[in-house]
Amino acid sequence: MTLLAVLTFIAILYYCGIGPVLLLFSPKESPWRLAIMPALGLCSHIIFSIFLAQFSLTGQTISVIALPFFGVLAALGWRSNPVSRAELRAALPAVLLGLFSVAAFGWPLFYSGMQNYWGLANPDQGFLIPVMEWIHTHTLGVPPEYARNFHILG
């Protein structure tokens, strides 16, 4: 189940990155544009989600809006600048190296499973789980019971 969750996350990163990459980079400028899709997908999704969060939308609503938005971006990008087979072959070593790196660094997660891994990770993770559950059904912010632990720096 953990491996499926990680692969789904990588697929979502590619899904969110394909539109911005195809619209921003031509194959002549960067033959490795397929390799940067997950990183650009993560950045694009974060920026888009924060933009939508300012309208007091819940995390669930933001997700429902974000997935079709990135689908439209992907269709526009594919129509204007499709990926060729030569480009796929050129990017394959970098993409495989990235997947191998995820497998190597994620081995403790895959080995112990996500239920046990949370206890072995950074202690902040246990604190962030209720915050993520809160954001799923509420606007961007912190649950009231945790709000006293947050301080503005500066």
Side-chain angles (χ1 to χ4, degrees), residues 69-149:
F69 171 78
F70 285 107
V72 169
L73 272 184
L76 290 173
W78 193 267
R79 184 174 178 182
S80 68
N81 203 359
V83 177
S84 67
R85 285 192 177 143
E87 186 178 5
L88 282 171
R89 276 192 300 267
L92 190 62
V95 171
L96 289 177
L97 182 62
L99 291 174
F100 175 76
S101 298
V102 167
F105 289 111
W107 181 248
L109 173 65
F110 302 140
Y111 181 74
S112 65
M114 62 184 157
Q115 290 79 13
N116 295 331
Y117 183 76
W118 284 113
L120 303 173
N122 187 339
D124 292 342
Q125 300 299 336
F127 171 75
L128 290 175
I129 291 172
V131 174
M132 293 301 132
E133 289 173 351
W134 171 267
I135 291 174
H136 184 71
T137 57
H138 296 81
T139 60
L140 186 63
V142 178
E145 62 268 18
Y146 295 106
R148 61 181 163 77
N149 297 328

Side-chain angles (χ1 to χ4, degrees), residues 25-35 86-92:
F25 303 107
S26 71
K28 296 173 188 167
E29 292 176 12
S30 176
W32 301 103
R33 64 185 182 155
L34 297 179
E87 186 178 5
L88 282 171
R89 276 192 300 267
L92 190 62

